[in-house]
Amino acid sequence: MSTTARIRSFIGRNLVVVAGMGTLAFMMLPIAVVIGFSFNNPAGRYNFTWSGFTTDNWTNLCGVEGMCGGVALSLKIALLATLIATILGTLMAFALIRYRFRGRSVTNVMVLLPMTMPEVVLGASLLTLFVNLKMELGFTTILLAHVMFCLSFVVVTVRARLAGMDDDLEEAAQDLYATRWRTFRRVTLPLVLPGIAAAALISFALSFDDFIITNFTAGSDVTFPVFIWGAARRGVPPQVNVVATIMFLVAISTVILAQVIAWRRRQAAAKT
């Protein structure tokens, strides 16, 4: 059998696996380009063609004026927006799942509206609101906007986790004379915590990455995505790829750490 025939036979027998690996490679290709060009030594203003390997971009990360300031501002806003949205969204998810009140069905639908609305419309609407309230555009308006659009994702994620919980576990704890606070701390919270953690990670990623809504509400403040937008007109510096690579490595490390913790818990549960 010829080599071509063997390849065709292999693809025919493993078509689904080959398609899956091809899709994965397509998804990872932009990330590979970002990582590769973080080590590029650009010959001109633009970091679009490979001109040679260098580690100067990593050792001189803040060598581009304004970039590290933008990264610091994005991190500050993302952390605060994540904290506020996670607390408020978790409370709202508990209210929607555990309590019956007038307007509950309407509230369930309205929670989804910011997720379905085009970002450019949302950004323009928020700009109109802030201008009419005579609020100065800057850190506060960016933070309020980010908390607003992160809330929907937190509510939906935590609500799905709560809806899938077995209520019998809480009833069993209370049958064993646990107080409501002790039941929440020892039973409910550990069960819903993965959903809260997932919601927080999604919120952080959305907030750090957002450009459209931020561009409407930032005023003269420059976040990292807004810095990239401005830098694109005169040539994106390779340090931008370094920051993106660092963010990717942090995300991968977080996922691996979560998997290791879950595996150790399963091993501990299997031994008991």
Side-chain angles (χ1 to χ4, degrees):
M1 183 183 293
S2 65
T3 303
T4 305
R6 288 178 182 173
I7 293 174
R8 286 178 179 175
S9 175
F10 176 81
I11 294 176
R13 284 184 283 107
N14 303 278
L15 182 60
V16 175
V17 176
V18 172
M21 292 298 103
T23 305
L24 181 64
F26 178 71
M27 291 169 60
M28 293 295 106
L29 185 60
I31 297 175
V33 171
V34 167
I35 295 174
F37 275 76
S38 70
F39 295 99
N40 187 29
N41 184 19
R45 293 169 53 192
Y46 296 98
N47 185 32
F48 296 150
T49 56
W50 183 259
S51 304
F53 180 86
T54 181
T55 58
D56 291 347
N57 306 322
W58 286 78
T59 57
N60 188 27
L61 184 58
C62 293
V64 181
E65 183 182 358
M67 195 192 73
C68 281
V71 173
L73 180 61
S74 287
L75 285 173
K76 190 176 179 181
I77 290 173
L79 288 172
L80 283 174
T82 298
L83 179 64
I84 297 171
T86 302
I87 293 173
L88 296 179
T90 300
L91 293 174
M92 193 170 183
F94 268 92
L96 290 172
I97 292 294
R98 296 297 174 85
Y99 296 93
R100 301 289 181 268
F101 53 89
R102 185 175 295 178
R104 179 169 168 267
S105 300
V106 176
T107 306
N108 266 314
V109 174
M110 291 182 68
V111 164
L112 301 175
L113 289 181
M115 300 173 65
T116 58
M117 191 176 293
E119 281 196 62
V120 66
V121 175
L122 206 55
S125 303
L126 283 168
L127 175 61
T128 304
L129 174 66
F130 293 143
V131 169
N132 278 281
L133 292 176
K134 302 187 185 308
M135 294 181 67
E136 185 178 352
L137 298 180
F139 182 85
T140 304
T141 52
I142 301 173
L143 180 61
L144 289 173
H146 283 211
V147 170
M148 186 275 301
F149 68 73
C150 286
L151 270 172
S152 297
F153 292 91
V154 175
V155 173
V156 170
T157 306
V158 178
R159 187 178 62 185
R161 182 70 182 180
L162 280 169
M165 277 179 50
D166 187 357
D167 296 338
D168 292 341
L169 295 174
E170 291 177 304
E171 293 176 4
Q174 292 178 0
D175 288 343
L176 294 173
Y177 303 105
T179 62
R180 294 189 66 176
W181 168 244
R182 190 176 179 84
T183 300
F184 174 79
R185 188 167 59 88
R186 302 298 295 270
V187 178
T188 308
L189 186 59
L191 289 174
V192 79
L193 199 56
I196 297 175
L201 289 174
I202 292 171
S203 297
F204 182 84
L206 288 172
S207 176
F208 187 84
D209 181 58
D210 182 77
F211 166 72
I212 298 176
I213 294 176
T214 305
N215 201 35
F216 278 99
T217 58
S220 59
D221 286 355
V222 179
T223 61
F224 183 55
V226 175
F227 170 83
I228 296 176
W229 168 254
R233 301 169 188 172
R234 55 185 184 276
V236 178
Q239 282 86 346
V240 168
N241 297 59
V242 177
V243 174
T245 303
I246 292 173
M247 296 300 298
F248 172 72
L249 293 176
V250 170
I252 287 292
S253 301
T254 304
V255 171
I256 293 174
L257 181 62
Q259 292 296 322
V260 171
I261 292 174
W263 177 79
R264 294 188 65 176
R265 284 182 176 175
R266 286 195 298 270
Q267 293 294 316
K271 291 178 181 178
T272 55

